[in-house]
């Protein structure tokens, strides 16, 4: 059974930092892209950041560019999200995701292309 488990969520004040981590198990993750989506109550999950299987091709949503950094160990089963300069609008449930056979740049932000999902970890940023 494939599992993705996120850790690192919590409550912080605006301007502070948090690091989220995700570990996958249950299959070989060496050729899977991994990334992060976030979900606001009553909304669909939206793309935050992702990396290809090698960790060399990295993609960010415009809302987090320059503040968040994603890293994926090459051919491995972990992905982290370093979140700096957090804002109240970053408050959401953050979900780790993994995708098989991701190649094209315009697909990394498409939640429908991801095959595996974690349960999510809550991030709350107070003003």
């Amino acid at each position: 059974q494939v599992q993705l488990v996120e850790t690192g969520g919590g409550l912080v004040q605006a301007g502070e930092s948090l690091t989220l981590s995700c570990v996958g198990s249950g299959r070989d993750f060496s050729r899977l892209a991994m990334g992060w989506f976030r979900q606001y109550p009553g909304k669909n999950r939206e793309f935050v950041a992702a990396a290809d299987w090698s960790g060399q091709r990295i993609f960010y949503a415009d809302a987090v560019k320059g503040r968040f950094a994603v890293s994926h160990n090459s051919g491995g089963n972990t992905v982290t999200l370093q979140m700096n300069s957090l804002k109240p609008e970053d408050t959401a449930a953050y979900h780790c995701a993994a995708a098989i056979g991701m190649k094209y740049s315009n697909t990394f932000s498409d939640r429908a292309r991801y095959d595996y999902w974690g349960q999510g970890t809550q991030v709350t940023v107070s003003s």
Side-chain angles (χ1 to χ4, degrees):
Q1 181 182 0
V2 177
Q3 283 192 312
L4 295 174
V5 178
E6 305 100 335
T7 56
L11 171 64
V12 296
Q13 292 190 331
E16 293 184 340
S17 299
L18 268 180
T19 301
L20 306 182
S21 297
C22 173
V23 179
S25 62
R27 66 154 290 155
D28 180 3
F29 278 77
S30 61
R31 291 289 176 171
L32 269 62
M34 295 186 77
W36 294 90
F37 287 72
R38 62 189 180 187
Q39 188 167 21
Y40 301 106
K43 303 287 187 182
N44 287 324
R45 291 176 189 176
E46 67 174 39
F47 173 70
V48 176
D52 75 341
W53 68 270
S54 72
Q56 297 301 306
R57 296 170 66 205
I58 293 176
F59 306 89
Y60 294 100
D62 288 344
V64 306
K65 275 181 187 174
R67 299 189 298 123
F68 290 13
V70 65
S71 62
H72 175 27
N73 57 329
S74 178
N77 64 339
T78 63
V79 62
T80 62
L81 185 68
Q82 173 67 43
M83 303 185 293
N84 301 317
S85 302
L86 282 161
K87 304 175 181 180
E89 51 264 43
D90 294 317
T91 296
Y94 283 71
H95 295 264
C96 174
I100 300 168
M102 194 81 88
K103 281 186 181 180
Y104 304 107
S105 298
N106 63 351
T107 59
F108 282 79
S109 61
D110 182 359
R111 64 179 181 273
R113 288 286 287 110
Y114 287 77
D115 301 281
Y116 307 108
W117 292 89
Q119 291 297 307
T121 185
Q122 180 66 34
V123 172
T124 303
V125 185
S126 64
S127 57

